[in-house]
Amino acid sequence: MESISQLPKNIRKHLSNEAYETDHTGMSDSSVFLFQDKILKIQKNTLEAETEYRMMQWLKDRLPVPQVYAHEIQGDVSYLLMSRCPGEMACAKKYISDPDLLTDRLAQGLKKLWEVDISGCPADWRLKRKLEQAQFNVEHGLVDIENTEPGTFGEGGFAGPKELLDWLYGNQPQEEPVLSHGDFCLPNLLFDEATAWYIDLGRAGIADKWCDIALCYRSLSHNYDGVYGDQHREGLDDLLLFRKLGLAPDWEKIRYYILLDELF
Ligand SMILES: Nc1ncnc2c1ncn2[C@@H]1O[C@H](COP(=O)(O)OP(=O)(O)O)[C@@H](O)[C@H]1O
Ligand SMILES: [Mg+2]
């Protein structure tokens, strides 16, 4: 954003000449501007941008999500102005330094998603749709193979995105459909004392319960093993999240959904 005066009118009218900070946490191509009590997210007007807007609206009476103030599309760019949620990201030091508290709150955050009645949910990311989208990404060269888990591609792994896609088509697990966040990683959850807020909803919709568990597990691990931030591996027991969830880890499904996410 060069200046507020260049924003679409419908967005601009909500912003006086307020100061803002720019976020550098997210890994997507979006630009996120943090005003004192509002957030402006500017991104390419893709299916994910549209889903984020629709899911934020649909979830507003169902879960703690940002309130949408305005949404505009200009050219191929989407502008979403929303409320700024209180609290700190789940990857804040306060939580990373207390794995018991962190996993407790993450597990609560997952379970609350699963309590939502999915009838009428405007986005469906069950494998049929999700694999079609993955295929689109592969066919259009949209897969970023640099930014993947070690071992996914190359020696001992898949030769390339197409081979991974074929494997994903051939090895689809049985799905347990729930409301899924779709990108359940630590920077996409904000905790205040009482509430877990869900942000970054472009991949939210109906999906298998294990999709979010897998991405939560991956994000949690990388926030301790040094991939993001400092290494504090000794501080994390791999099974803690599953104990908090009251579930035995289904490692096959976890692996499947982490691999599927490589194509997004
Ligand atoms: N509504 C919001 N309230 C508070 N912080 C937000 C909000 N939206 C985004 N942020 C902050 O900006 C970061 C990036 O926004 P996000 O929507 O996750 O974009 P990206 O697609 O780049 O990951 C978040 O991790 C969070 O720190
Ligand atoms: Mg994000």
Side-chain angles (χ1 to χ4, degrees):
M1 172 168 68
E2 297 276 301
S3 85
I4 290 178
S5 63
Q6 288 168 327
L7 293 170
K9 194 158 147 252
N10 188 24
I11 301 288
R12 201 183 342 134
K13 72 179 186 204
H14 295 272
L15 303 166
S16 45
N17 257 336
E18 297 169 51
Y20 59 84
E21 290 166 58
T22 312
D23 168 80
H24 302 285
T25 321
M27 300 211 288
S28 67
D29 293 332
S30 59
S31 304
V32 177
F33 301 95
L34 297 84
F35 293 86
Q36 175 129 39
D37 57 356
K38 301 180 203 82
I39 300 284
L40 175 61
K41 184 165 178 177
I42 305 179
Q43 56 191 323
K44 200 156 180 250
N45 187 35
T46 58
L47 177 61
E48 286 194 11
E50 188 190 324
T51 302
E52 173 152 45
Y53 167 66
R54 294 180 69 192
M55 286 301 294
M56 223 172 251
Q57 294 286 42
W58 189 74
L59 284 170
K60 70 173 190 266
D61 302 319
R62 293 174 168 87
L63 283 177
V65 294
Q67 185 187 341
V68 175
Y69 293 147
H71 178 235
E72 275 293 307
I73 295 160
Q74 195 170 277
D76 66 348
V77 181
S78 152
Y79 298 80
L80 180 61
L81 185 70
M82 63 190 120
S83 60
R84 183 167 181 168
C85 302
E88 286 186 83
M89 289 188 281
C91 51
K93 209 167 174 190
K94 166 175 173 188
Y95 297 107
I96 297 293
S97 62
D98 189 346
D100 191 66
L101 172 68
L102 174 58
T103 49
D104 207 62
R105 300 220 49 183
L106 289 170
Q108 291 298 334
L110 287 165
K111 287 184 196 167
K112 275 198 74 176
L113 286 168
W114 306 339
E115 283 166 13
V116 174
D117 177 0
I118 52 176
S119 43
C121 177
D124 186 343
W125 292 116
R126 275 173 279 197
L127 281 174
K128 184 177 177 305
R129 278 284 301 112
K130 191 85 184 177
L131 287 167
E132 279 169 12
Q133 190 62 34
Q135 183 163 353
F136 179 91
N137 294 345
V138 172
E139 286 171 356
H140 291 80
L142 301 174
V143 177
D144 174 9
I145 51 171
E146 298 302 312
N147 197 2
T148 52
E149 296 292 296
T152 298
F153 297 116
E155 223 178 289
F158 295 91
K162 176 75 178 72
E163 288 70 19
L164 171 54
L165 180 67
D166 290 343
W167 184 86
L168 291 165
Y169 267 116
N171 290 276
Q172 296 176 50
Q174 189 73 37
E175 295 176 273
E176 254 180 276
V178 293
L179 176 70
S180 159
H181 177 283
D183 192 11
F184 199 104
C185 58
L186 273 45
N188 289 340
L189 280 186
L190 301 174
F191 298 142
D192 66 10
E193 282 308 309
T195 310
W197 299 85
Y198 304 87
I199 60 169
D200 204 357
L201 299 169
R203 295 179 189 166
I206 302 170
D208 185 10
K209 171 175 183 173
W210 285 87
C211 168
D212 283 352
I213 299 176
L215 301 192
C216 180
Y217 172 78
R218 182 187 63 187
S219 180
L220 190 59
S221 305
H222 287 341
N223 272 278
Y224 284 85
D225 63 13
V227 171
Y228 308 133
D230 303 332
Q231 192 171 340
H232 343 240
R233 187 75 209 180
E234 63 291 355
L236 183 71
D237 168 350
D238 247 7
L239 296 178
L240 194 52
L241 177 68
F242 302 98
R243 285 202 291 276
K244 301 284 186 184
L245 286 169
L247 290 173
D250 184 333
W251 294 116
E252 269 183 41
K253 275 195 162 190
I254 291 170
R255 173 163 185 262
Y256 185 91
Y257 286 108
I258 291 176
L259 285 171
L260 176 57
D261 196 59
E262 304 282 36
L263 299 181
F264 285 83

